Amino acid sequence: MLHALLNRRALRFLPPALALMAATATGITVADEAVSATPAEMRAWIETMKNAPRGPFERIRWFCEDGTVLPPTPYACRPHGGGIQHGQWNERAMAIRAQGYPFATLLAELEAEDFLGPDGQHQRLREILVERFLIRFDDGWVFRRARFYRGAIQLEDEQRQTRTLLLALLDDPYWRDPQRFLTLREATRLLPVEGGRSDATLARDLAIEIAEVDPNFQPLRSKIHGLPDAGDAERVRDYAEAHGDPALDERFDELVAALERLHAPQTAVHRLEQLASDTRDPALRSWLGDAAQRLTASHDLGKRLTATGELAATARELILADNDLSAENRLLLMRASLALENEAYAIGSQLTARQQQVPSSRAERLDWLAALGQSLYGTGLLSARQQKYLEEAVADLRETPLEASHYADRLAYLSRVVTWAQRAMAFEFGPALDHWAELAPSVRYYIPDRLRDSPLLVFSRVIDPLRADASRLLGTPDELFGTSVSGGLRALNPGLRRGVLRRAPDAPNQIGAFQADGIYVLPETTADLPPIAGILTRDEGSSLSHVQLLARNLGIPNVVIDFELLDRIEPFFGKPVVLAVSPGGRVQLARDSPEWDRFFPRSDQPSESKLEVDTEKLDLDHTELIRLHSLRAADSGRRVGPKAANLGELAHHYPQQVSPGVVIPFGVFRQLLAQPIEAGGPSAREWLKAEYRRLDRIGNPDRRRQEARATLERLRAWIGRTELPAGFLRALRAALTGTFGTADTDGIFVRSDTNVEDLPGFSGAGLNRTVAHVVGFESIVAAIREVWASPFTERAFAWRQARMDSPEHVYPSVLLQATVPVDKSGVMVTVDLDSGDPHWLSVATSEGLGGVVEGQAAEELRIHRQTGAVRLLSEATAPYRREAVASGGLRQVRAAGPSRLLSEGEIERLRALANDVDRRSLVTGEDGSPAPADIEFGFVDGRLALFQTRPLVENRHARASAYLADMDAPLRHGRPTHVTLSEPPRSGPFGGAP
């Protein structure tokens, strides 16, 4: 039966050992060196297969139902229960598959039941879809020449089995969950149920092919990719006549035809009529016929766009609804949905292309945004929740009188739609893309390619002029190297920094990969980022992650930059630049010059105030372990750090919300340092103090860093192996038993808590080690050593060193707190982080344990303190969540998806908590009045758990900067400007810009 299983069902996703058995069973010998091939070797094989006449195949064979494999003679499988003929993978293809890739997939061999239900092979399906993208994007990919290898791929078998798979998925209630609609629709779009590429994809592919042969076509190719419009067909025709190579005439004609179809409205009418004739369901036939008639009757392009959006949204709801529709009719509706998407793209292209001749009013363009939002919902790129907030934002803009500042604010909110769609694709396909990227780096084009194929491209082309209009009304454009831009830049953290514009390092997780003077363009911000000058990031992750709070605290400007602007900064890599981000959200990236000197301190002066440690307050003689619930805020910086002290204060006020814990005070670490660094040598404390002074005397920065690295490595190694203070283990065992019932525990978090966190002007968030969910006494002891050593990592030292005169006065206490198996966890800041408005709360939440502080793409909300009104900024789209393992540690499991995380009741509990924290003055400023708080929380079955509270530490230097304040002057002091919606947007130069 192995023979049958591994041939008739050849696509089964086999573990390596079984794949080798399959190779043997089918007569293919897989060499050991092939099985252990590196990614580089496999990439080389793939390039060879692209140009090999047989591609990934060894030969043609019949694969019979009873497992028999026969040569390709007519009707060979008839005596064996039937079968199909196709190519048999070669040795290298089998070796790649043996390493976990669904490589060179033959759709005819798919078995639909493999993918059904909650336990189906969902990740494998997504990886198959990624390969289908590669086939479209890369001219057949490994099948490039094999397409002409007769008998290797039978299109009829491929389409038949694709249809069987899609019908099974559409008939499965699991797949009809709205959470899975995007993948389901991508399967319909990418798998060859009908064959062919969309006209948008075809046009881009043809433009690439022409530009590869004719480099002079490259500018027009770039336009077709980035800013297509209805005039592109004529531009290509003119180019072909004036400059075209006659050998390319056929491709030019194909490209012109594809562009004309792409930008011709009413392309969906014939398709809908055809689909109506294909169904026997009278209700569905009537709906499709009415839809076609509605599009035909809508002569005005704007009304037709609205009709298209409404029909697309309805189609999605009909596909997913629990109704009497058969799987065949749901598939038919899915095909109608694809036609409606093409229609929205075509109509939108027509509308945007004619604006130079016949400008539309602001109100009309708002209608377009609402209609495109429905189309995007119909594609699955927006959720129902996001589409609702989009419609509310558009409706808000229609209210009169409308002031320019509110107009700009709502448009900025609507521009988040681009990120929403991008993150939806990343949630569904990010892990599959990460897996494939080692073999085929071009898979990184999948998400941008999909978004440009969709109505999202039109949406961005509608909203960008509106944002430019708002900037002109306010006199507040962003600036990119001397040129005003109205979209594509979004401020996260304010600050003014100068540095060198740099690309992301090849190995960002290696020590020393980043340079301190770098203003880096990063694919995303990571929790291990060292101190740098500035950040331009493609994905903000969570604005409440540790690295974002650190960047915010130290005044490091941080900006989200759109992919479309990256080409404009390309010439400036390696050059000195200045990045300015105002508290009001304006962005300026400029070439550095002496004119900027007055805004920066001289190099021999510190740019920030030093951290002051109150050494007289320290009680280093206290060495007894402390119950968490007995601590109060006054203990901060005395016996323990602020994390444990403030959590103890929280436990005093909210005892049911704080899990039990034990705290190891500063004094125990001080006892540890009293031991000799080596036999006969000074104490570790005296040695460390002398080392810091020695390092200060080294003038060469590179040598100082190298020496500091060696010193820190030696200290960490010493902490990891030196004998623990006398009696400590006995005391620890007793404290754990008394608090948790056993010294081995069911799981605790071992958390660092130093005396140099949450000081005026410095938060220290995330700098030191937390060891998650530790089980077993020996493991707990090892984790304590890790935590004691963590303030002496190179990264933590680098963040702290520039701020301390006496870095030897760093003492970690250790908080041992019971693991709470939360469903979701997050961070709440008791002001609006974007505006500083104290009437709004900033809340970020992720599935599972600790995702927000690790920088995951979280659900981000703004919640009004008094009314409870909620504004959605983003949904949680991290593909994985962390959960505790019974034996200890955490594991990553697939997240449920971008649905609503916080319920209304949970939002109400957070709102009540924020107001109560202020009422009790649990977090106060220097004058004793309530100050913005940063609170870490979780929920277990709706029950609130609290893990930390601290002051939100803002960088006063950044916010007080005269230059940054001047950037925001038009927002504060400009006279109110009313927006007339019946007029077209303003065009031309910006008025009143500073």
Side-chain angles (χ1 to χ4, degrees), residues 595-607:
E595 296 178 2
W596 288 97
D597 290 348
R598 60 195 176 102
F599 298 111
F600 294 94
R602 298 201 316 270
S603 59
D604 60 347
Q605 293 180 343
S607 60

Side-chain angles (χ1 to χ4, degrees), residues 609-664:
S609 59
K610 292 292 184 180
L611 293 179
E612 298 292 337
V613 177
D614 187 353
T615 55
E616 294 190 4
K617 181 181 179 180
L618 283 168
D619 180 1
L620 300 177
D621 294 326
H622 187 103
T623 58
E624 293 181 9
L625 277 61
I626 309 167
R627 287 281 186 97
L628 173 63
H629 281 54
S630 69
L631 289 169
R632 301 297 294 272
D635 290 304
S636 176
R638 185 166 64 92
R639 296 186 294 170
V640 299
K643 186 179 299 177
N646 290 335
L647 194 53
E649 185 73 30
L650 273 181
H652 174 75
H653 295 275
Y654 313 106
Q656 300 305 311
Q657 274 70 55
V658 179
S659 64
V662 174
V663 183
I664 304 169

Side-chain angles (χ1 to χ4, degrees), residues 872-893:
L872 174 71
L873 300 190
S874 63
E875 291 186 334
T877 53
Y880 296 103
R881 61 181 172 85
R882 303 192 305 173
E883 66 178 20
V885 179
S887 59
L890 304 178
R891 65 180 177 184
Q892 298 265 33
V893 298

Side-chain angles (χ1 to χ4, degrees), residues 385 388-389 392 824 841 843 845 859 861 863-864 867-870 900-913 939 942:
R385 182 188 188 196
K388 168 181 170 288
Y389 277 97
E392 288 178 356
K824 63 202 77 168
L841 308 172
V843 178
T845 314
E859 176 183 82
L861 308 175
I863 303 169
H864 197 273
T867 67
V870 176
R900 177 172 179 164
L901 286 188
L902 290 178
S903 67
E904 290 183 6
E906 290 165 343
I907 288 172
E908 180 57 31
R909 290 183 188 90
L910 290 176
R911 189 163 66 94
L913 173 68
F939 282 100

Side-chain angles (χ1 to χ4, degrees), residues 1-10 64-68 109:
M1 288 305 295
L2 177 64
H3 205 255
L5 176 68
L6 298 180
N7 288 283
R8 181 66 190 93
R9 306 181 66 188
C64 306
E65 288 294 338
D66 66 358
T68 305
E109 293 285 4

Side-chain angles (χ1 to χ4, degrees), residues 552-573:
R552 191 177 185 87
N553 163 236
L554 295 178
I556 294 176
N558 190 350
V559 176
V560 176
I561 182 168
D562 190 80
F563 180 83
E564 306 297 338
L565 294 182
L566 294 181
D567 286 346
R568 295 173 61 173
I569 69 173
E570 178 76 24
F572 299 93
F573 279 116

Side-chain angles (χ1 to χ4, degrees), residues 385 416 423 492 540-546 548-549 822-834 840-863 870-878 899-903 906-907 910 933-939 944-945 947:
R385 182 188 188 196
R416 289 180 173 272
R423 284 173 55 161
L492 290 179
E540 69 191 82
S542 162
S543 64
L544 300 180
S545 67
H546 281 147
Q548 296 290 8
L549 290 173
V822 295
D823 313 314
K824 63 202 77 168
S825 59
V827 176
M828 174 171 65
V829 172
T830 57
V831 295
D832 186 330
L833 277 172
D834 297 321
W840 289 85
L841 308 172
S842 300
V843 178
T845 314
S846 290
E847 296 181 46
L849 286 159
V852 169
V853 296
E854 294 298 322
Q856 285 187 351
E859 176 183 82
E860 294 202 47
L861 308 175
R862 298 293 182 264
I863 303 169
V870 176
R871 181 183 300 172
L872 174 71
L873 300 190
S874 63
E875 291 186 334
T877 53
S899 60
R900 177 172 179 164
L901 286 188
L902 290 178
S903 67
E906 290 165 343
I907 288 172
L910 290 176
D934 165 7
I935 302 170
E936 293 185 20
F937 66 87
F939 282 100
L944 177 64
F947 304 122

